Coordinates of all heavy atoms in Angstrom, one line a residue:
M846 N -167.7 161.3 -25.5 CA -168.7 161.9 -26.3 C -170.1 161.4 -25.9 O -170.3 160.2 -26.0 CB -168.5 161.7 -27.8 CG -169.6 162.3 -28.7 SD -169.2 162.1 -30.4 CE -168.7 163.7 -30.7
C847 N -171.0 162.2 -25.5 CA -172.3 161.8 -25.0 C -173.2 161.5 -26.2 O -173.1 162.1 -27.3 CB -172.9 162.9 -24.2 SG -174.4 162.5 -23.3
L848 N -174.1 160.6 -26.0 CA -175.1 160.1 -27.0 C -174.6 159.3 -28.1 O -175.2 159.2 -29.1 CB -175.9 161.3 -27.5 CG -176.7 162.2 -26.5 CD1 -177.3 163.4 -27.1 CD2 -177.7 161.3 -25.7
N849 N -173.4 158.7 -27.9 CA -172.9 157.8 -29.0 C -173.2 156.3 -28.7 O -172.7 155.4 -29.4 CB -171.4 158.0 -29.2 CG -170.5 157.7 -28.0 OD1 -171.0 157.4 -26.9 ND2 -169.2 157.8 -28.2
G850 N -173.8 156.0 -27.5 CA -174.2 154.7 -27.2 C -173.1 153.9 -26.4 O -173.2 152.7 -26.1
V851 N -172.0 154.6 -26.1 CA -170.9 154.0 -25.4 C -170.5 154.8 -24.2 O -170.3 156.0 -24.3 CB -169.6 153.9 -26.3 CG1 -168.4 153.3 -25.5 CG2 -169.9 153.1 -27.6
I852 N -170.5 154.2 -23.0 CA -170.1 154.9 -21.8 C -168.7 155.2 -21.8 O -167.8 154.3 -21.8 CB -170.6 154.1 -20.5 CG1 -172.1 153.9 -20.5 CG2 -170.1 154.8 -19.2 CD1 -172.6 153.0 -19.4
E853 N -168.3 156.5 -21.7 CA -166.9 156.9 -21.7 C -166.7 157.9 -20.7 O -167.6 158.7 -20.3 CB -166.6 157.5 -23.1 CG -166.8 156.6 -24.3 CD -166.8 157.3 -25.6 OE1 -167.4 158.4 -25.7 OE2 -166.2 156.8 -26.5
G854 N -165.4 158.0 -20.2 CA -165.0 159.1 -19.2 C -165.9 159.1 -18.0 O -166.1 158.1 -17.3
T855 N -166.5 160.3 -17.7 CA -167.3 160.4 -16.5 C -168.8 160.2 -16.7 O -169.6 160.5 -15.9 CB -167.1 161.9 -16.0 OG1 -167.5 162.8 -17.0 CG2 -165.6 162.1 -15.6
E856 N -169.2 159.7 -17.9 CA -170.6 159.4 -18.2 C -171.1 158.4 -17.2 O -170.5 157.4 -17.0 CB -170.8 159.0 -19.6 CG -170.4 160.0 -20.7 CD -170.6 159.4 -22.0 OE1 -170.6 158.2 -22.2 OE2 -170.6 160.2 -23.0
Q857 N -172.3 158.6 -16.7 CA -173.0 157.6 -15.8 C -173.7 156.6 -16.7 O -173.9 155.4 -16.3 CB -174.0 158.3 -14.9 CG -173.3 159.2 -13.9 CD -174.4 159.9 -13.0 OE1 -175.6 159.8 -13.3 NE2 -173.9 160.6 -12.0
C858 N -174.2 157.0 -17.9 CA -174.9 156.1 -18.8 C -174.8 156.8 -20.2 O -174.4 157.9 -20.3 CB -176.4 156.0 -18.4 SG -177.3 157.5 -18.3
D859 N -175.1 156.0 -21.2 CA -175.2 156.5 -22.6 C -176.0 155.5 -23.4 O -175.5 154.5 -23.8 CB -173.8 156.7 -23.2 CG -173.8 157.5 -24.4 OD1 -174.8 157.6 -25.1 OD2 -172.7 158.1 -24.8
D860 N -177.3 155.9 -23.6 CA -178.2 154.9 -24.3 C -178.2 155.3 -25.8 O -178.9 154.6 -26.6 CB -179.5 154.9 -23.7 CG -180.2 156.2 -23.6 OD1 -179.7 157.2 -24.1 OD2 -181.3 156.3 -23.0
G861 N -177.6 156.4 -26.2 CA -177.5 156.7 -27.6 C -178.7 157.4 -28.2 O -178.8 157.5 -29.4
N862 N -179.7 157.7 -27.4 CA -180.9 158.4 -27.9 C -181.1 159.8 -27.4 O -180.4 160.1 -26.4 CB -182.2 157.5 -27.7 CG -182.5 157.3 -26.3 OD1 -182.4 158.3 -25.5 ND2 -183.0 156.1 -25.9
M863 N -182.0 160.5 -27.9 CA -182.3 161.9 -27.5 C -183.5 162.0 -26.6 O -184.0 163.1 -26.4 CB -182.5 162.8 -28.8 CG -181.3 162.9 -29.6 SD -180.0 163.8 -28.9 CE -180.7 165.5 -28.8
V864 N -184.0 160.9 -26.1 CA -185.1 160.9 -25.2 C -184.6 161.3 -23.8 O -183.9 160.5 -23.1 CB -185.8 159.5 -25.1 CG1 -187.0 159.5 -24.2 CG2 -186.3 159.1 -26.5
N865 N -185.0 162.4 -23.3 CA -184.5 163.0 -22.0 C -185.3 162.5 -20.8 O -184.9 162.7 -19.7 CB -184.5 164.5 -22.1 CG -183.6 165.1 -21.1 OD1 -182.5 164.5 -20.8 ND2 -183.9 166.3 -20.6
T866 N -186.4 161.8 -21.0 CA -187.2 161.3 -19.9 C -187.1 159.9 -19.6 O -187.8 159.3 -18.8 CB -188.7 161.6 -20.2 OG1 -189.1 161.0 -21.5 CG2 -189.0 163.1 -20.3
D867 N -186.2 159.2 -20.3 CA -185.9 157.8 -19.9 C -184.9 157.7 -18.8 O -184.6 158.7 -18.2 CB -185.5 156.9 -21.2 CG -184.3 157.4 -21.8 OD1 -183.7 158.4 -21.3 OD2 -183.9 156.8 -22.8
A868 N -184.3 156.5 -18.6 CA -183.4 156.3 -17.4 C -182.1 157.0 -17.6 O -181.4 157.3 -16.7 CB -183.1 154.8 -17.2
C869 N -181.7 157.4 -18.9 CA -180.5 158.1 -19.2 C -180.8 159.4 -19.9 O -181.4 159.4 -20.9 CB -179.6 157.2 -20.1 SG -177.9 157.9 -20.3
S870 N -180.4 160.5 -19.2 CA -180.7 161.8 -19.8 C -179.8 162.2 -21.0 O -178.9 161.5 -21.3 CB -180.6 162.9 -18.7 OG -179.2 163.1 -18.4
N871 N -180.1 163.3 -21.6 CA -179.3 163.8 -22.8 C -177.9 164.2 -22.4 O -177.1 164.5 -23.2 CB -180.0 164.9 -23.5 CG -181.3 164.4 -24.2 OD1 -181.5 163.2 -24.4 ND2 -182.1 165.3 -24.6
T872 N -177.7 164.4 -21.1 CA -176.4 164.8 -20.6 C -175.6 163.6 -20.0 O -174.6 163.7 -19.4 CB -176.5 165.9 -19.5 OG1 -177.3 165.3 -18.4 CG2 -177.1 167.1 -20.0
C873 N -176.1 162.4 -20.4 CA -175.5 161.1 -20.0 C -175.3 160.9 -18.5 O -174.4 160.4 -17.9 CB -174.1 160.9 -20.7 SG -174.3 160.7 -22.4
T874 N -176.4 161.4 -17.7 CA -176.5 161.1 -16.3 C -177.8 160.4 -16.1 O -178.7 160.5 -16.9 CB -176.5 162.5 -15.5 OG1 -177.6 163.3 -15.9 CG2 -175.2 163.2 -15.6
T875 N -177.8 159.6 -15.0 CA -179.0 158.8 -14.8 C -180.2 159.6 -14.2 O -180.0 160.5 -13.5 CB -178.7 157.6 -13.8 OG1 -178.2 158.2 -12.6 CG2 -177.7 156.7 -14.4
N876 N -181.4 159.3 -14.7 CA -182.6 159.9 -14.2 C -183.4 159.0 -13.2 O -184.5 159.3 -13.0 CB -183.5 160.2 -15.4 CG -183.1 161.4 -16.2 OD1 -182.5 162.3 -15.7 ND2 -183.4 161.4 -17.5
V877 N -182.7 158.0 -12.7 CA -183.4 157.1 -11.8 C -183.6 157.7 -10.5 O -182.7 158.2 -9.9 CB -182.6 155.8 -11.7 CG1 -183.3 154.8 -10.8 CG2 -182.4 155.1 -13.1
V878 N -184.9 157.7 -10.0 CA -185.2 158.3 -8.7 C -185.2 157.2 -7.7 O -185.8 156.1 -7.9 CB -186.6 158.9 -8.8 CG1 -187.0 159.4 -7.4 CG2 -186.7 160.0 -9.8
P879 N -184.4 157.3 -6.6 CA -184.3 156.2 -5.6 C -185.7 156.0 -5.0 O -186.5 156.9 -4.8 CB -183.3 156.7 -4.6 CG -182.8 158.0 -5.1 CD -183.6 158.4 -6.3
T880 N -186.0 154.8 -4.7 CA -187.3 154.4 -4.1 C -187.0 153.7 -2.8 O -186.1 152.9 -2.7 CB -188.1 153.4 -5.1 OG1 -188.2 154.1 -6.3 CG2 -189.4 153.1 -4.5
A881 N -187.8 154.0 -1.8 CA -187.7 153.4 -0.5 C -189.1 152.8 -0.1 O -190.1 153.3 -0.5 CB -187.3 154.4 0.5
F882 N -189.1 151.8 0.6 CA -190.3 151.1 1.1 C -190.2 151.0 2.6 O -189.2 150.8 3.2 CB -190.4 149.7 0.5 CG -190.5 149.7 -1.0 CD1 -189.4 149.5 -1.8 CD2 -191.8 149.9 -1.6 CE1 -189.5 149.5 -3.2 CE2 -191.9 149.9 -3.0 CZ -190.7 149.7 -3.8
R883 N -191.4 151.2 3.2 CA -191.5 151.0 4.7 C -192.4 149.9 5.0 O -193.5 149.8 4.5 CB -192.1 152.3 5.3 CG -192.2 152.2 6.8 CD -192.8 153.4 7.4 NE -191.9 154.5 7.2 CZ -192.2 155.8 7.5 NH1 -193.4 156.1 8.0 NH2 -191.3 156.7 7.3
M884 N -191.9 149.0 5.9 CA -192.8 147.9 6.3 C -193.3 148.2 7.7 O -192.6 148.7 8.5 CB -191.9 146.6 6.5 CG -191.5 146.0 5.2 SD -190.8 144.3 5.4 CE -189.9 144.4 6.9
D885 N -194.6 147.9 7.8 CA -195.2 148.1 9.2 C -195.6 146.8 9.8 O -196.0 146.8 11.0 CB -196.3 149.2 9.1 CG -197.5 148.7 8.3 OD1 -197.4 147.7 7.7 OD2 -198.4 149.5 8.2
T886 N -195.6 145.7 9.0 CA -195.9 144.4 9.5 C -195.1 143.4 8.8 O -194.9 143.4 7.6 CB -197.4 144.1 9.3 OG1 -198.2 145.1 9.9 CG2 -197.8 142.7 9.9
L887 N -194.5 142.5 9.6 CA -193.8 141.4 9.1 C -194.4 140.1 9.5 O -194.6 139.8 10.7 CB -192.3 141.4 9.6 CG -191.4 140.3 9.2 CD1 -191.2 140.3 7.7 CD2 -190.1 140.4 9.9
R888 N -194.8 139.3 8.5 CA -195.4 138.0 8.8 C -194.5 136.9 8.4 O -194.2 136.7 7.2 CB -196.8 137.9 8.1 CG -197.6 139.0 8.4 CD -198.9 138.9 9.2 NE -199.5 137.6 9.3 CZ -199.9 137.2 10.5 NH1 -199.8 137.9 11.6 NH2 -200.5 136.0 10.6
L889 N -194.0 136.1 9.3 CA -193.1 135.0 9.0 C -193.9 133.8 8.5 O -194.9 133.4 9.1 CB -192.4 134.5 10.3 CG -191.4 133.4 10.2 CD1 -190.2 133.8 9.2 CD2 -190.8 133.0 11.5
R890 N -193.6 133.4 7.3 CA -194.4 132.3 6.7 C -193.5 131.0 6.6 O -194.0 129.9 7.0 CB -194.8 132.6 5.3 CG -195.8 133.8 5.2 CD -197.1 133.3 5.8 NE -198.1 134.3 5.7 CZ -199.2 134.3 6.5 NH1 -199.4 133.4 7.3 NH2 -200.0 135.3 6.4
D891 N -192.3 131.1 6.1 CA -191.5 129.9 5.9 C -190.1 130.4 5.9 O -189.7 131.3 5.1 CB -191.9 129.2 4.6 CG -191.3 127.8 4.6 OD1 -191.2 127.2 5.7 OD2 -191.1 127.3 3.5
P892 N -189.2 129.9 6.6 CA -189.3 128.7 7.5 C -190.1 129.1 8.8 O -190.1 130.3 9.2 CB -187.9 128.4 7.8 CG -187.1 129.6 7.7 CD -187.8 130.4 6.7
H893 N -190.6 128.2 9.4 CA -191.3 128.4 10.7 C -190.4 128.5 11.9 O -189.3 127.9 11.8 CB -192.4 127.3 10.9 CG -193.5 127.4 10.0 ND1 -194.8 127.7 10.5 CD2 -193.7 127.3 8.7 CE1 -195.7 127.7 9.5 NE2 -195.0 127.4 8.4
A894 N -190.8 129.1 12.9 CA -190.0 129.2 14.1 C -190.4 128.1 15.1 O -191.6 128.0 15.3 CB -190.1 130.6 14.8
F895 N -189.5 127.4 15.6 CA -189.8 126.3 16.6 C -189.1 126.5 17.9 O -188.1 127.1 18.0 CB -189.3 124.9 16.0 CG -190.1 124.5 14.8 CD1 -189.7 124.8 13.5 CD2 -191.3 123.8 15.0 CE1 -190.4 124.4 12.4 CE2 -192.0 123.3 13.9 CZ -191.6 123.7 12.6
L896 N -189.8 126.1 19.0 CA -189.2 126.2 20.3 C -189.3 124.8 20.9 O -190.4 124.1 20.9 CB -190.1 127.2 21.1 CG -189.7 127.4 22.6 CD1 -188.3 128.1 22.6 CD2 -190.7 128.3 23.3
Q897 N -188.2 124.4 21.5 CA -188.2 123.1 22.2 C -188.7 123.2 23.6 O -188.1 124.0 24.4 CB -186.8 122.5 22.2 CG -186.7 121.1 22.8 CD -185.4 120.4 22.6 OE1 -184.5 120.9 22.0 NE2 -185.2 119.2 23.2
I898 N -189.8 122.5 23.9 CA -190.3 122.5 25.2 C -190.3 121.1 25.7 O -191.0 120.2 25.2 CB -191.8 123.0 25.2 CG1 -191.8 124.4 24.6 CG2 -192.4 123.0 26.6 CD1 -193.2 125.0 24.4
F899 N -189.5 120.8 26.7 CA -189.2 119.5 27.3 C -188.7 118.6 26.1 O -187.7 118.8 25.6 CB -190.4 119.0 28.0 CG -190.8 119.8 29.2 CD1 -191.9 120.6 29.2 CD2 -189.9 119.8 30.3 CE1 -192.2 121.4 30.3 CE2 -190.2 120.6 31.4 CZ -191.4 121.4 31.4
L900 N -189.5 117.6 25.8 CA -189.0 116.6 24.8 C -189.7 116.8 23.4 O -189.5 116.1 22.5 CB -189.3 115.2 25.2 CG -188.5 114.8 26.5 CD1 -188.9 113.4 27.0 CD2 -187.0 114.9 26.3
S901 N -190.5 117.9 23.3 CA -191.1 118.1 22.0 C -190.8 119.5 21.4 O -190.4 120.4 22.1 CB -192.7 118.0 22.2 OG -193.1 119.1 23.0
C902 N -191.0 119.6 20.1 CA -190.8 120.9 19.5 C -192.1 121.5 19.1 O -193.0 120.8 18.6 CB -190.0 120.8 18.2 SG -188.2 120.6 18.5
S903 N -192.3 122.8 19.4 CA -193.6 123.4 19.1 C -193.4 124.5 18.1 O -192.4 125.3 18.2 CB -194.2 124.0 20.4 OG -194.5 123.0 21.3
D904 N -194.3 124.6 17.1 CA -194.2 125.6 16.1 C -194.8 126.9 16.7 O -196.0 126.9 17.1 CB -195.1 125.2 14.9 CG -195.0 126.2 13.7 OD1 -194.4 127.3 13.9 OD2 -195.5 125.9 12.6
I905 N -194.0 127.9 16.8 CA -194.4 129.1 17.5 C -194.6 130.3 16.5 O -194.7 131.4 16.9 CB -193.5 129.6 18.6 CG1 -192.1 129.8 18.1 CG2 -193.5 128.5 19.8 CD1 -191.1 130.5 19.1
T906 N -194.6 130.0 15.2 CA -194.8 131.0 14.2 C -196.2 131.6 14.3 O -196.3 132.8 14.4 CB -194.6 130.4 12.8 OG1 -193.4 129.7 12.7 CG2 -194.6 131.5 11.7
E907 N -197.2 130.8 14.4 CA -198.6 131.2 14.6 C -199.1 130.4 15.7 O -198.8 129.2 15.8 CB -199.4 131.0 13.3 CG -199.1 131.8 12.2 CD -199.7 133.2 12.2 OE1 -200.3 133.6 13.2 OE2 -199.5 133.9 11.3
T908 N -199.9 131.0 16.6 CA -200.5 130.2 17.7 C -202.0 130.0 17.4 O -202.6 130.9 16.7 CB -200.3 130.8 19.0 OG1 -200.8 132.1 19.0 CG2 -198.8 130.9 19.4
A909 N -202.6 129.0 17.9 CA -204.0 128.7 17.5 C -204.9 129.8 18.1 O -205.9 130.0 17.5 CB -204.3 127.3 18.1
F910 N -204.5 130.4 19.2 CA -205.4 131.3 19.9 C -204.9 132.8 19.8 O -205.4 133.6 20.5 CB -205.6 130.9 21.3 CG -206.2 129.5 21.5 CD1 -205.3 128.5 21.9 CD2 -207.5 129.2 21.1 CE1 -205.8 127.2 22.0 CE2 -208.0 127.9 21.2 CZ -207.1 126.9 21.7
G911 N -204.0 133.0 18.9 CA -203.5 134.4 18.7 C -202.7 134.9 19.9 O -202.6 136.1 20.2
G912 N -202.0 134.0 20.5 CA -201.2 134.3 21.7 C -199.8 135.0 21.4 O -199.8 135.9 20.5
N913 N -198.8 134.5 22.0 CA -197.5 135.1 21.8 C -196.6 134.4 20.8 O -195.4 134.2 21.0 CB -196.7 135.1 23.2 CG -197.4 136.0 24.2 OD1 -197.8 137.0 23.9 ND2 -197.4 135.5 25.4
G914 N -197.2 134.2 19.6 CA -196.4 133.6 18.5 C -195.5 134.7 17.9 O -195.5 135.9 18.2
V915 N -194.5 134.2 17.1 CA -193.6 135.1 16.4 C -194.3 136.2 15.6 O -193.9 137.4 15.7 CB -192.6 134.3 15.6 CG1 -191.7 135.2 14.8 CG2 -191.8 133.4 16.4
N916 N -195.3 135.9 14.9 CA -196.0 136.8 14.0 C -196.7 137.9 14.9 O -196.8 139.1 14.5 CB -197.0 136.2 13.1 CG -196.2 135.6 11.9 OD1 -195.2 136.0 11.5 ND2 -196.8 134.5 11.3
Q917 N -197.3 137.5 16.0 CA -197.9 138.4 16.9 C -196.9 139.4 17.6 O -197.2 140.6 17.8 CB -198.7 137.7 18.0 CG -200.0 137.0 17.5 CD -199.7 135.7 16.8 OE1 -198.6 135.1 17.0 NE2 -200.6 135.2 16.0
Q918 N -195.7 138.9 17.8 CA -194.7 139.8 18.4 C -194.1 140.8 17.5 O -193.6 141.8 17.9 CB -193.6 138.9 19.0 CG -194.0 138.0 20.1 CD -194.3 138.8 21.4 OE1 -193.6 139.7 21.7 NE2 -195.3 138.3 22.1
S919 N -194.1 140.5 16.1 CA -193.4 141.3 15.2 C -194.3 142.4 14.6 O -193.8 143.2 13.8 CB -192.9 140.5 14.0 OG -194.0 139.9 13.3
R920 N -195.5 142.5 15.0 CA -196.4 143.6 14.5 C -196.0 144.9 15.1 O -195.5 145.1 16.2 CB -197.8 143.3 14.9 CG -198.4 142.1 14.2 CD -199.9 142.0 14.4 NE -200.4 140.8 13.7 CZ -201.4 140.1 14.1 NH1 -202.1 140.5 15.1 NH2 -201.8 139.1 13.4
R921 N -196.2 145.9 14.3 CA -195.9 147.3 14.7 C -196.8 147.7 15.8 O -198.0 147.5 15.8 CB -196.1 148.2 13.5 CG -195.7 149.6 13.8 CD -195.9 150.5 12.5 NE -195.6 151.8 12.8 CZ -195.9 152.8 12.1 NH1 -196.6 152.6 11.0 NH2 -195.7 154.1 12.4
R922 N -196.3 148.4 16.7 CA -197.1 148.9 17.9 C -197.2 150.4 17.9 O -196.5 151.1 17.4 CB -196.4 148.5 19.2 CG -196.4 147.0 19.3 CD -195.6 146.5 20.4 NE -195.3 145.1 20.2 CZ -195.7 144.2 21.1 NH1 -196.4 144.5 22.1 NH2 -195.4 142.9 20.9

């Protein structure tokens, strides 16, 4: 039975109210609209990316002169 506040049978939701514009409609189906996001830039902050060069490790997440760091490589082209 729809609108009794208990999810039963094939009901997707049942909030027990008559508000048709909330997350659960009066027919006990969800009104949630799927949302998608698009990233066009990814900036690595933490953890940092390191590269071993000979006997030392270098942080290649950001470079001092804007060269070929990880963040510069991950930008949308």
